[in-house]
Amino acid sequence: ELRKSVQSRASASDQFTVSIQQGSVAVASATTQGTQTSVTAGPIIARRGTTYRLTEAMASGSANQLSAYSTTFSCVDTANGNDPIVATTTGTDFNVNVPTGRRTHIVCTFVNSAGQVSWTKTDATTGQPLANTTWRINAPGGTVLSVTDNVGASGYTGLDQDPAPGRFRVAVGLGAHSLVEVSAPAGYVVDATPRPFTISAKARTVDLGTIANPRVLGTVTWSKVSPTGGLLAGSTWRLTPTSPAGAPFDITDNTGQPGYSGRDTDPVAGQFAVRDLAWGTYSLVEIAAPVGYVINSTPNQVVIDATHTSIVLGAFTNQLSPGVKLPLTGGEGASGYWIAGMLLVAVAVGAAVTHRRYRHPHRP
């Protein structure tokens, strides 16, 4: 009885044929199909003292040659306490002689195993395994293997033999390969760096180690407006990390002024964009309003995570300070200064004229 055991395939199309020959005649054979990992040729009725030839070969249509696999062979007599007929060895073609003088049941086995590459995908910030990445292995001869993460889900039919999320073990053939990440989970940056590796007869197992995905940093945007909806320049804000806790930082309005070095990356007065924020929860609050307006001290929560990396808070309104009127035209931040200044000038001129008339009354 000749058995075939396939531990791993270098390609899904690889199939194996095992056969028992007596002289030049094949008396039994079997070929794996599909995802089968075992088949048996025989059993046959064997003559004592007769030599049989046991072989294996790649079936027609296979992507790889038998040299892409490591092969072991062994034979035991199961009718006599698994007495070894052929000790475990390597090779693909053996002659086995049936012992005389006793009843025997000889079971021989070819075990095939492809090369293997493994790696681990992690979150660059926490170092924890990161699930649901997809990969491409460029194999010899232009063959491309698509690899999806086996997370232990029922019915998985991909190439990853490790059911732990973020950990990969893939069977490959001999030769030079390269591993490339195709997609990362939401909120992570794809690492598209090709990682070459070679599977050889002497080095059939390769561990590429840990490959980390950096997180996509967050951006939060908002605007400051008057009761009529016009943009207001000159407000200042404080953004405080609350979970995890961190040091707060202040954000002054970037109005396009030369030499601005604050955190607001939007140069339009009254519009704010703060970038490169780590994942977490923040509190945003206005700490200084434009001149002539009442500060809006309501805190606003900002949460940045894998699925929320671009936060748009919208417009925040400042009410006019008591006694201040809206200008009819012009920008609402700078115009307020201009109108107030003109009023002061007019009052000053009027006072000067009155004072002059008082000191030098008109003489007829």
Side-chain angles (χ1 to χ4, degrees):
E1 178 178 346
L2 178 58
R3 297 175 180 175
K4 157 62 67 179
S5 175
V6 183
Q7 301 297 305
S8 58
R9 281 181 167 87
S11 173
S13 65
D14 288 351
Q15 304 299 338
F16 304 83
T17 298
V18 291
S19 64
I20 304 172
Q21 297 179 21
Q22 182 180 2
S24 60
V25 179
V27 293
S29 65
T31 300
T32 60
Q33 296 182 7
T35 59
Q36 279 184 319
T37 58
S38 63
V39 291
T40 300
I44 65 168
I45 303 299
R47 297 178 180 179
R48 293 187 178 97
T50 302
T51 298
Y52 292 84
R53 184 185 179 195
L54 280 59
T55 63
E56 73 162 348
M58 299 302 294
S60 176
S62 297
N64 293 284
Q65 298 180 358
L66 201 54
S67 59
Y69 291 83
S70 60
T71 303
T72 60
F73 177 79
S74 62
C75 290
V76 296
D77 183 357
T78 62
N80 292 279
N82 289 328
D83 183 33
I85 302 298
V86 177
T88 300
T89 185
T90 60
T92 61
D93 192 330
F94 294 90
N95 290 323
V96 176
N97 186 265
V98 180
T100 61
R102 73 182 192 224
R103 177 181 176 272
T104 58
H105 182 188
I106 299 174
V107 175
C108 299
T109 306
F110 280 110
V111 178
N112 294 94
S113 179
Q116 177 179 286
V117 59
S118 60
W119 69 95
T120 301
K121 168 55 62 175
T122 63
D123 179 316
T125 301
T126 65
Q128 295 299 308
L130 184 63
N132 299 319
T133 53
T134 63
W135 303 77
R136 180 180 71 251
I137 296 177
N138 300 312
T143 301
V144 176
L145 306 178
S146 297
V147 182
T148 57
D149 193 1
N150 179 359
V151 297
S154 176
Y156 175 82
T157 59
L159 299 179
D160 179 16
Q161 299 172 10
D162 191 327
R167 301 186 188 278
F168 294 83
R169 186 174 67 252
V170 178
V172 291
L174 299 181
H177 303 70
S178 67
L179 174 71
V180 181
E181 185 175 24
V182 174
S183 69
Y188 290 87
V189 179
V190 172
D191 183 349
T193 304
R195 288 172 167 80
F197 64 95
T198 300
I199 303 295
S200 67
K202 294 183 178 180
R204 290 184 176 270
T205 300
V206 173
D207 185 357
L208 296 176
T210 297
I211 302 172
N213 278 129
R215 293 176 172 181
V216 175
L217 297 177
T219 297
V220 58
T221 60
W222 71 95
S223 61
K224 169 57 58 176
V225 298
S226 72
T228 60
L231 290 171
L232 291 176
S235 59
T236 303
W237 301 73
R238 179 164 294 158
L239 191 63
T240 304
T242 57
S243 179
F249 56 90
D250 294 346
I251 304 155
T252 56
D253 191 3
N254 179 359
T255 60
Q257 67 270 41
Y260 177 83
S261 58
R263 291 294 299 268
D264 178 17
T265 61
D266 190 326
V268 176
Q271 292 184 172
F272 294 82
V274 179
R275 305 181 187 280
D276 299 332
L277 296 173
W279 292 6
T281 302
Y282 298 79
S283 176
L284 177 68
V285 64
E286 186 179 27
I287 59 174
V291 174
Y293 290 84
V294 179
I295 192 170
N296 184 342
S297 58
T298 303
N300 304 273
Q301 187 182 75
V302 177
V303 178
I304 296 174
D305 56 26
T307 56
H308 302 89
T309 56
S310 183
I311 309 299
V312 179
L313 297 177
F316 297 107
T317 303
N318 280 127
Q319 299 298 323
L320 283 165
S321 297
V324 177
K325 295 182 179 180
L326 284 172
L328 296 177
T329 60
E332 307 209 37
S335 296
Y337 288 113
W338 186 84
I339 293 173
M342 292 301 295
L343 288 174
L344 288 174
V345 170
V347 170
V349 171
V353 171
T354 301
H355 179 70
R356 178 180 179 85
R357 287 180 178 177
Y358 175 78
R359 292 189 59 188
H360 303 286
H362 176 71
R363 296 176 182 178

